[in-house]
Each structure stands twice: as structure tokens, then as C-alpha cells.
Amino acid sequence: MIYILIGLHAIFGEVGALTFLWCLVETMEPTPLRLRRARRAALIGVVLLALSWFVGGYYYLMHYGPNVKPAIQAGSLRWAHGIAMELKEHVFLFLPFLGMSVYGRLRGSGDDPERLNRTAVILESFLIVLIAFAIAGLGYLVMLGAHIHGG
Amino acid sequence: MSVRTFGAACLIAVVTITGLTIAGELAEAVKATLTGLTGHHWVSKGGLAIVAFVASGLWLSRGEGRFAAPEGQETYGVAVTTIVCSLILTVLFIARYLSH
């Protein structure tokens, strides 16, 4: 059950991030059709990031806090929680709101490329992808702390 | 909510998360208050960020014309704020770890 939760959290998060990579590509040279696809992708991305938040939060509260955190803190890689996990769990919270900002911009422009703030959508989508994959890297460091040195 | 208010509300949510995290790490009383709200400080930060996002979005959308941001700010505001807040949190947690 625990590994299923971790897997779902990672899958929702990374697929959510990839939908914003899709948005980024669609808005590089926007047409009405591409804007419609980007809008759908952004909405799916927001839902996936929200699901990742709730699944990850449930795992964090029910398993990580009581079991994994004390094991890491007792081991030699204490920074895996003190820096990597703390940073991961807080910066992650930015992502659903960034996703909402991208979706809002796409929804507001409708099918008209002239009304789209293309630079903002590309920048914010790129940030979502960058942060999400950086968070996946931090997750790997947390796993190292838990399994190699945490006991 | 409109296009502009989605961006502004996102910016306020990001700043809320960062502000609550800094306050919670620097003042034990703040962390205890956040923990008291929901049982865990992280859940409270997320919940308060949602409240800040919705409340600011609705409030800003009422005065749309008056609160319109300049074009540069409208384009780069959310991205720059997110990058700066991410860097602040990185420095905060490294400093906290090294000081213990």
C-alpha cells in the first residue's frame, strides 16, 4: 500500500508536469486549435498536480512522519530530511497554484492567439516542469536517506 | 476570476506559503499555531494558501480595472516571485540544517 501511494504521488506529479510541457510546446506558435489543446492539457495538469498533492500528503502524514522521518534523522544522512524533504514538501505547494495561473491565462485568451500572454504561459509552464523534476530528484535523495543510511 | 486575477492570486498564494514557512521556522509559536489549526503545520500552510488564492482572486476580480498590473509585472511577476521564493526556502532550510 505504501509503495502504491509513493508511485501514485510520483506518477500524478510527473505526468502533471509533462502536461505543462505540452502546454509550453502548444503555445510556442499558437493557433486556435493549439490553444484549445493547451487549455485542456493545463486543466488536466492542474487536476493531476492536485491529486499528487493529496496522495503525497496522505503518505507524508500517515507513513513518512511517524516511520521514515525518525529513521532518517537517526542515520548519517540527516540532511535527506532536514534539507531535501523540507524543501520538497514546501516548494511542491507552489505547483498547483502555478498551474492555475497558466490555466487562467489560457482560459482568458479563449481561442484568440492575439489575446494570449505567450511569454507568461511559456515561462510559468517551464517553471512547473523544472520544479517538478527537481522535486523528483529531491525525492530520490530522501529515498537514499531512508534506505541506505536510515535503517 | 479573470486572467489577471488568476496570476495575482497565484502570486499571493506563493508568497503566503513562503511567509508562513519562514515564520514557522523562525518562531516556534507560529509553527505550534499552524499545527494546532489542522494537526500538522504543512496541512495548515496548504489550506491557508488555498484560502489566500481564492479570497485574493475573488477580491481582486471585484476591482479589476483598478488593480491591473503593468505589462512587465503581469508577464514576469508570477515566475520571478516563484523563483525568488524557491531560492529563499532553499537558503532557509540549508541554514536551519547547518545551525542544528
Side-chain angles (χ1 to χ4, degrees):
Chain A
M1 178 65 179
I2 295 305
Y3 292 106
I4 292 173
L5 285 177
I6 297 172
L8 285 175
H9 167 63
I11 288 167
F12 287 147
E14 298 314 319
V15 176
L18 288 174
T19 62
F20 285 98
L21 182 61
W22 181 9
C23 278
L24 190 157
V25 172
E26 296 283 15
T27 49
M28 288 184 101
E29 287 185 37
T31 63
L33 177 64
R34 286 176 182 163
L35 285 180
R36 274 199 295 278
R37 284 200 301 251
R39 206 161 49 238
R40 279 188 210 127
L43 183 59
I44 292 168
V46 168
V47 171
L48 288 171
L49 291 176
L51 285 172
S52 180
W53 182 357
F54 294 123
V55 174
Y58 181 81
Y59 164 77
Y60 181 83
L61 295 175
M62 296 300 155
H63 184 73
Y64 180 88
N67 303 306
V68 184
K69 180 179 164 183
I72 294 175
Q73 288 175 327
S76 56
L77 289 184
R78 289 186 302 110
W79 54 264
H81 175 80
I83 298 174
M85 188 59 176
E86 291 283 11
L87 191 57
K88 173 175 149 67
E89 74 187 54
H90 287 93
V91 173
F92 175 85
L93 294 176
F94 297 165
L95 295 182
F97 298 107
L98 271 177
M100 287 295 287
S101 177
V102 171
Y103 174 69
R105 290 181 193 282
L106 288 163
R107 199 188 72 166
S109 67
D111 292 341
D112 183 1
E114 295 298 317
R115 289 176 58 206
L116 179 70
N117 188 335
R118 201 171 63 95
T119 308
V121 170
I122 289 174
L123 258 178
E124 291 168 17
S125 297
F126 176 72
L127 261 183
I128 291 172
V129 176
L130 187 72
I131 291 174
F133 280 90
I135 283 175
L138 290 173
Y140 173 74
L141 295 177
V142 174
M143 191 199 73
L144 272 185
H147 291 283
I148 295 178
H149 292 276
Chain B
M1 280 198 240
S2 71
V3 189
R4 282 178 188 275
T5 54
F6 262 104
C10 169
L11 196 149
I12 287 167
V14 168
V15 170
T16 300
I17 293 162
T18 307
L20 289 173
T21 304
I22 294 169
E25 292 300 319
L26 299 182
E28 211 44 58
V30 175
K31 200 172 208 173
T33 305
L34 289 170
T35 304
L37 284 176
T38 59
H40 198 288
H41 62 91
W42 182 76
V43 178
S44 300
K45 286 171 197 165
L48 288 171
I50 293 172
V51 170
F53 179 83
V54 174
S56 60
L58 292 175
W59 184 70
L60 289 169
S61 61
R62 290 174 62 190
E64 184 76 35
R66 282 178 291 152
F67 299 111
E71 196 179 326
Q73 201 174 315
E74 161 69 13
T75 301
Y76 299 106
V78 173
V80 170
T81 303
T82 305
I83 292 168
V84 169
C85 287
S86 301
L87 291 175
I88 287 172
L89 290 183
T90 305
V91 171
L92 173 74
F93 287 120
I94 291 173
R96 287 283 288 166
Y97 177 77
L98 294 176
S99 69
H100 278 97

